[in-house]
Amino acid sequence: MNHLHNGWTISGGDVSDLPANVPGCVHTALLAAGRIEDPYLDENETKLAWIGRTSWEYATTFTPELGAPRIDLVCAGLDTVATIELNGREVGRTANMHRGYRFDVRPFLTEGTNSLKIKFDSPYVYAEDVRSHLGDRPNAYAEPFNFIRKQACNFGWDWGPTLVTSGIWQPIGLHSWSVARLAEVRPQATVAADGTGRVEVRVRLERAAEEPVTITASVAGRRAQATVDGIEALLILTVDDPELWWPRGFGDAVLHDLDVAVSTAGGEQLDSWHRRIGFRKVRVDTAGDAFTLFVNDVPIFVRGVNWIPDDVFADRITRARLHDRFVQAADANVNFLRVWGGGRYESEDFYELADEMGFLVGQDFLFACAAYPEEEPLAAEVEAEARENVVRLSSHPSLVLWTGNNENIWGHEDWDWKAPLAGRTWGAGYYFDLLPRIVAELDPSRPYWPGSPYSGDQNRHPNDPAAGTTHIWDVWNTDDYTKYAAYRPRFVAEFGFQAPPAYATLKRALSDHPLAPDSPGMAHHQKAIGGDQKLERGLANHLPAPGDFDDWHYLTQLNQARAVAFGIEHFRSLRPLCMGSIMWQLNDCWPVTSWAAVDGDARKKPLWYAMRDAYADRLLTLQPRAAAAPVAGGPDPVDQGEIFTAPGAPALIAVNDGRTPWAVDATVTRRNLNGDVLAASFLTATVAPGSAVTIPLPTDLTTPGDPATELVVAESGDDRTWWFFAEDKDIAWPAPAFTTEVTEEDGSTKVAVTATSILRALTLYPDRLDPSAETDRAGVTLLPGDTVTFTVTSDRPLDEKALTTRPVLRCVNDITN
């Protein structure tokens, strides 16, 4: 394709003929030209609402080669409601950001200079007109995103800004061709019971001439060929015992080159197509209310994160940026990325990286938190986008699940939608009819699930944790994170807890002086209704009251890390009853107080480190349990089928997601704050791969003399886990006492801290000294005599004194003292 990416200008409002990058959008063009302030800083977002309510025109000129009998204008993505004019004549119209368009423009082209204009209507005007015509529908936000096929979170979310974009957001160009082109290539790779690989390659042609053509396909040393008079063909290739594609932690993510070409009878190649595919089997077992993902017949405990668009402006999301984020996910022991339904069908870069790195991906169809009309003009667009994206993504082995929507079935049941709907359509026809039919037709080897959450039965509450997938949001919205322990879910597709971004991110994004939880910039970058009050409630339940902003920042980040880790460890401890944990969320699209583990400037919050530990292949955790019957004599391991049924005293649980048995030799002690051992036991268990074992503890370990001054610690090799009988706010922590040693080694700074008192949740914040600085751990609790070494990387030397004192080096003790 001959790209048309140069020479574009935009005009709209009082803006005229402003240079614009393509692919791009109006916001980034205005920002590059200095016509607007950075919308991510301070409260600048509020000044830019006019952009989404303005009509915009993109214009360029070009000189085409006119030799081919067919020349198409290929628009991979227009955002969103556009009219295309070539040399003053209308070529076509679009109304969907989530699909591409192709127009035969050969009759419109002339010799020499040609003029191309794309006129974008205001997304607001279009959506509000559709709403007026079809009747209003309930929506989680006071924005009309459910009346336009556009990225919903452009209209704002409880973590995102309201920046309603327009523009040529994907590549655009001219495709010259003759005779025939590959209009659609849809390979389906499967593995038979005997290990034989089979690739069914379905090809659909578009023709400019009626003559026989030859289609060839090749993969893994196999080749198939067919001569075609019409427009469709099926080529089948079989591969004996191919190397399989495995998800992270289970084997290599082996990929095979698949090439498809169409040629004339004389051998002239007309068009070609290339992908890397993987041989693997995938299914979801829902027997007995379960929701268990199997890959190559192996049950996978999903250690997942929810994924949102990594920037509001898609042209800034490069492959390198995605790679960095994927590395952060991999380093946190994540194996599953759920692409949330208020964003986009993710890019080829995204899926190719997932294929290469062995991530499992669940892709939502793009419906979120609202009732969606099923009438025109939206119904045809929904079908077109679904068909296009199922075909586009079905060749990627990383994609293992299609989901119909985010929270809409739940919303229809619980969010007071039924009365205002008054019988109007709300999306059920999409989720229970159209979308499963499309997946069954175009991608039959991959499972489809109607919604997230969904219990598997329309006669059952859609967010019943005892069946299918569930979202747990009462913890954040109304309750305490310890409530996770009361849940026995089968698969948790969303749960999470908020905290502010890194300090360096706040200092870059906000000019507030001084920073305070309620200072103007901080308040603007808190998008959740009642978010600050919920943060305050979470702190009050567990931690001492902050004395200043530095305390508040440390404690809210600590509480977020503890809350999510508590949930992950509990859900993993229920294996095999529960087989999935997808925390909300991995990433942010801008600097904001949110549920993310990695903030909008790509900095890891303490949550990331806690998630890394909680998602480790081998997890040792102390969980509240009450035994079904008294344990007599020595504490024998308890199979998960006999798992305890109510919160109570701590039990030691070992979870093994590794591929080899785990011999657990654990020393469990009850101690006081001075580190003195008050009771001790040595416990052993063998944990098979893909299983969990509960080890009851003797009562002398679980019965404190003074809950406010005692704790339990379990250690096995390098694994250590804690149980405190009282909340931090109710413990009289000693003044923090420790020594430090700072050294330089291999280009990094080593900060060794040796405790001479117990140190609770010791955390280093080197970004306060250098925005580039990052450490390798956070939230470490030390007993007297313990040493921990933080490894810090940075672009410049760090002041040793500042590195080892408050507010850079923090622990809970320094607040209570």
Side-chain angles (χ1 to χ4, degrees):
M1 185 168 73
N2 179 26
H3 285 118
L4 299 176
H5 291 171
N6 298 322
W8 288 92
T9 61
I10 61 169
S11 300
D14 62 356
V15 176
S16 180
D17 298 327
L18 188 73
N21 287 335
V22 169
C25 70
V26 169
H27 285 78
T28 52
L30 294 172
L31 187 60
R35 296 294 295 268
I36 61 173
E37 297 177 280
D38 188 334
Y40 290 1
L41 304 185
D42 294 317
E43 301 172 64
N44 293 342
E45 168 206 353
T46 60
K47 306 172 186 176
L48 306 182
W50 63 275
I51 296 174
R53 293 197 170 275
T54 300
S55 296
W56 296 92
E57 181 179 280
Y58 275 68
T60 192
T61 58
F62 63 94
T63 301
E65 296 287 340
L66 299 178
R70 179 70 180 264
I71 303 176
D72 292 349
L73 177 66
V74 181
C75 308
L78 300 177
D79 178 15
T80 292
V81 183
T83 302
I84 300 101
E85 292 183 358
L86 183 57
N87 296 324
R89 299 167 61 192
E90 182 176 312
V91 169
R93 299 189 177 204
T94 76
N96 195 329
M97 178 181 181
H98 303 308
R99 58 176 289 208
Y101 295 83
R102 177 183 284 261
F103 305 99
D104 178 4
V105 295
R106 184 64 182 83
F108 299 83
L109 294 170
T110 63
E111 295 282 353
T113 300
N114 286 248
S115 169
L116 177 61
K117 294 181 179 180
I118 302 180
K119 300 178 179 180
F120 291 94
D121 294 343
S122 159
Y124 275 112
V125 170
Y126 174 88
E128 289 164 355
D129 283 349
V130 173
R131 182 175 63 188
S132 176
H133 175 64
L134 297 181
D136 201 3
R137 303 294 199 280
N139 187 333
Y141 304 101
E143 295 281 342
F145 64 80
N146 47 336
F147 294 93
I148 184 172
R149 297 311 298 158
K150 175 176 172 56
Q151 187 167 291
C153 59
N154 274 178
F155 291 85
W157 221 260
D158 56 5
W159 39 258
T162 303
L163 295 166
V164 179
T165 55
S166 292
I168 305 170
W169 78 286
Q170 295 274 49
I172 186 171
L174 295 176
H175 179 205
S176 300
W177 57 282
S178 63
V179 184
R181 72 174 187 89
L182 296 168
E184 180 178 295
V185 178
R186 182 164 53 89
Q188 181 180 328
T190 57
V191 182
D194 65 358
T196 301
R198 176 183 173 97
V199 185
E200 297 181 359
V201 183
R202 288 173 172 79
V203 176
R204 182 173 59 82
L205 301 175
E206 185 178 11
R207 286 185 168 275
E210 298 298 327
E211 63 179 75
V213 293
T214 300
I215 301 173
T216 58
S218 60
V219 67
R222 300 293 190 270
R223 188 171 183 271
Q225 182 173 298
T227 299
V228 179
D229 291 320
I231 62 170
E232 293 185 345
L234 170 64
L235 289 82
I236 299 176
L237 303 99
T238 58
V239 180
D240 297 332
D241 196 26
E243 291 187 89
L244 300 183
W245 184 94
W246 286 95
R248 299 187 61 77
F250 290 84
D252 295 331
V254 178
L255 298 171
H256 304 264
D257 290 305
L258 173 62
D259 290 284
V260 179
V262 57
S263 305
T264 64
E268 177 189 358
Q269 182 169 296
L270 300 170
D271 201 1
S272 63
W273 182 96
H274 171 81
R275 290 289 188 280
R276 289 194 297 167
I277 65 169
F279 290 96
R280 58 101 181 95
K281 293 184 282 186
V282 60
R283 61 186 172 90
V284 173
D285 179 13
T286 59
D289 296 330
F291 194 90
T292 303
L293 177 67
F294 282 77
V295 178
N296 299 328
D297 296 323
V298 175
I300 308 293
F301 189 96
V302 166
R303 304 186 308 221
V305 290
N306 282 273
W307 174 271
I308 65 170
D310 205 50
D311 199 292
V312 174
F313 309 123
D315 52 298
R316 304 203 294 206
I317 307 174
T318 63
R319 188 183 183 97
R321 176 168 169 170
L322 289 172
H323 180 267
D324 289 346
R325 207 67 68 249
F326 278 35
V327 168
Q328 289 173 322
D331 288 349
N333 297 309
V334 166
N335 64 15
F336 189 102
L337 306 169
R338 176 196 169 214
V339 183
W340 167 75
R344 61 175 291 194
Y345 301 101
E346 268 298 345
S347 65
E348 288 303 309
D349 285 338
F350 179 100
Y351 276 97
E352 287 173 4
L353 287 168
D355 292 343
E356 294 167 6
M357 297 178 70
F359 283 107
L360 302 165
V361 180
Q363 173 73 61
D364 285 9
F365 286 97
L366 299 186
F367 306 89
C369 299
Y372 283 79
E374 298 171 36
E375 292 79 27
E376 299 299 349
L378 299 175
E381 289 295 344
V382 166
E383 179 165 0
E385 80 179 48
R387 289 184 172 277
E388 176 178 315
N389 285 285
V390 169
V391 169
R392 177 175 70 89
L393 298 177
S394 63
S395 60
H396 291 284
S398 57
L399 178 58
V400 295
L401 179 67
W402 290 102
T403 300
N405 70 86
N406 175 79
E407 298 192 340
N408 294 346
I409 303 172
W410 180 23
H412 182 260
E413 184 65 26
D414 277 0
W415 298 353
D416 299 322
W417 288 6
K418 294 177 183 178
L421 276 171
R424 289 192 293 270
T425 59
W426 57 274
Y430 298 144
Y431 317 138
F432 295 111
D433 181 18
L434 176 67
L435 297 176
R437 281 195 289 108
I438 289 173
V439 172
E441 174 192 347
L442 301 177
D443 195 13
S445 68
R446 191 172 274 115
Y448 169 86
W449 196 245
S452 186
Y454 186 61
S455 62
D457 186 339
Q458 292 188 61
N459 295 316
R460 190 171 192 167
H461 192 281
N463 198 30
D464 184 345
T469 62
T470 191
H471 291 190
I472 300 176
W473 283 115
D474 54 357
V475 165
W476 162 251
N477 285 314
T478 57
D479 296 301
D480 184 63
Y481 69 73
T482 55
K483 187 177 180 179
Y484 287 133
Y487 279 92
R488 290 173 56 80
R490 307 310 299 260
F491 190 104
V492 187
E494 278 190 23
F495 68 103
F497 212 87
Q498 265 202 354
Y503 187 80
T505 299
L506 291 175
K507 293 298 287 185
R508 184 194 70 81
L510 306 180
S511 58
D512 296 2
H513 186 76
L515 280 170
D518 58 352
S519 57
M522 286 294 299
H524 184 74
H525 289 244
Q526 167 59 278
K527 293 296 186 178
I529 297 173
D532 287 341
Q533 291 72 36
K534 294 171 186 178
L535 287 174
E536 183 179 351
R537 185 191 71 237
L539 293 185
N541 287 338
H542 297 280
L543 291 160
D548 57 19
F549 180 80
D550 292 335
D551 287 353
W552 179 87
H553 185 260
Y554 163 64
L555 291 173
T556 50
Q557 288 198 332
L558 172 62
N559 209 44
Q560 178 191 41
R562 286 187 183 173
V564 175
F566 185 95
I568 291 173
E569 293 188 16
H570 170 66
F571 302 141
R572 291 188 69 190
S573 79
L574 298 176
R575 181 177 182 149
L577 177 77
C578 178
M579 286 299 291
S581 160
I582 309 180
M583 61 81 66
W584 185 274
Q585 65 214 64
L586 175 68
N587 59 325
D588 268 328
C589 61
W590 75 314
V592 63
T593 296
S594 84
W595 298 264
V598 177
D599 76 18
D601 281 6
R603 294 188 176 91
K604 300 169 184 173
K605 292 154 72 169
L607 167 59
W608 182 92
Y609 301 92
M611 180 174 69
R612 175 192 63 186
D613 297 342
Y615 272 156
D617 280 352
R618 292 175 171 177
L619 172 69
L620 200 66
T621 179
L622 288 163
Q623 291 289 319
R625 296 289 190 265
V631 179
D636 296 322
V638 176
D639 182 81
Q640 292 303 95
E642 306 166 26
I643 198 163
F644 306 120
T645 58
L652 182 64
I653 301 174
V655 184
N656 182 11
D657 277 339
R659 308 310 305 147
T660 58
W662 180 20
V664 177
D665 297 312
T667 299
V668 185
T669 54
R670 177 166 58 87
R671 299 172 182 252
N672 60 25
L673 295 180
N674 294 326
D676 301 326
V677 175
L678 305 177
S681 187
F682 182 73
L683 308 172
T684 63
T686 299
V687 190
S691 65
V693 169
T694 297
I695 309 170
L697 301 181
T699 56
D700 63 344
L701 288 176
T702 62
T703 307
D706 179 4
T709 63
E710 296 180 22
L711 58 99
V712 175
V713 59
E715 301 171 274
S716 179
D718 294 332
D719 296 304
R720 178 187 265 187
T721 187
W722 304 82
W723 176 276
F724 287 83
F725 294 102
E727 299 293 346
D728 286 28
K729 66 185 178 65
D730 299 320
I731 295 174
W733 297 103
F738 56 89
T739 61
T740 59
E741 182 180 6
V742 180
T743 57
E744 300 296 323
E745 182 180 322
D746 299 328
S748 62
T749 301
K750 305 286 187 180
V751 182
V753 180
T754 299
T756 52
S757 72
I758 189 171
L759 300 178
R760 182 63 165 144
L762 189 69
T763 303
L764 191 66
Y765 291 99
D767 64 287
R768 284 176 169 265
L769 305 179
D770 175 7
S772 74
E774 180 178 287
T775 187
D776 65 334
R777 64 194 65 210
V780 182
T781 295
L782 301 180
L783 291 169
D786 288 344
T787 297
V788 65
T789 299
F790 296 92
T791 299
V792 180
T793 57
S794 62
D795 289 345
R796 62 174 186 257
L798 304 176
D799 179 84
E800 180 174 331
K801 182 178 180 181
L803 196 57
T804 56
T805 55
R806 186 184 189 277
V808 177
L809 185 64
R810 299 303 307 267
C811 63
V812 174
N813 312 46
D814 69 38
I815 296 173
T816 58
N817 290 272

